[in-house]
Amino acid sequence: MTTATPAANFSDAADYRPGKIRNRVLWTLQIVLGLFFLIASGGPKLVIPNTLMDNAPENLTIPFALLIFIGVVEVAGGIGLMVPRLSGLAAAGLSVLTVLAAATQAFIADKPAMAIFPLVLAAIFAWIAYERRATITALVR
C-alpha cells in the first residue's frame, strides 16, 4: 500500500526562486510586456477610447465602460508586472485577460487566426506567474 504525497507543498512555493539567468530573462520579459500593456494596449483605451470605438469593426463593438475597464486592467497589469511584489499576481491576471481576449477574437469577432497572439501572451504570462509563485504566496500570507 502506498501513500500519496502532494507533489508541491505550500511552503515549497514560498521558498522557490528562479536562477540568475532565468531571473534576468523573466525581468526582461516583464519589463517589455509591462511597457507594451502600458503604452500600446491599455494606454490608448484610456487616452483615446472614442477613436477606438469609432474604428472598431462592426462585429466587435463593446460597451464604452467595458473598453475603459479593460484599459484600466491592462495598465494595472502592466504596472504590476514591473513591481517585484506584484509580478506573479499581475502575470496570472494578465494570463486570464489574454485568454478572454483570444476567446473574444475567436468566437465573437469570428477571427480565430487573430486569437493566436493573445494565446501566446497567455502562455508567457502563465510561465511568469509560475516562476514568480513565491510572490503570490507571500501576498497570501
Side-chain angles (χ1 to χ4, degrees):
M1 182 146 113
T2 60
T3 316
T5 57
N9 192 350
F10 187 75
S11 63
D12 293 342
D15 297 333
Y16 174 78
R17 299 279 187 251
K20 190 174 185 178
I21 293 174
R22 185 176 289 178
N23 194 41
R24 287 182 181 168
V25 170
L26 285 166
W27 274 115
T28 302
L29 276 173
Q30 287 171 226
I31 291 169
V32 168
L33 290 172
L35 290 173
F36 168 76
F37 273 90
L38 277 170
I39 297 167
S41 187
K45 290 177 180 81
L46 298 177
V47 177
I48 54 169
N50 291 324
T51 305
L52 293 175
M53 293 289 286
D54 293 341
N55 293 332
E58 291 178 17
N59 63 342
L60 188 59
T61 56
I62 62 173
F64 185 78
L66 181 60
L67 181 71
I68 298 297
F69 175 74
I70 292 169
V72 168
V73 170
E74 288 178 348
V75 167
I79 293 170
L81 278 177
M82 295 184 281
V83 175
R85 266 189 165 173
L86 302 175
S87 60
L89 194 59
L94 286 170
S95 181
V96 171
L97 180 74
T98 53
V99 166
L100 294 173
T104 301
Q105 289 292 337
F107 301 115
I108 295 175
D110 201 27
K111 295 183 180 180
M114 297 295 289
I116 295 170
F117 180 67
L119 287 175
V120 169
L121 284 177
I124 293 170
F125 287 132
W127 178 64
I128 292 171
Y130 176 76
E131 291 293 330
R132 301 291 188 206
R133 64 190 178 271
T135 64
I136 298 172
T137 56
L139 287 173
V140 171
R141 290 188 203 164

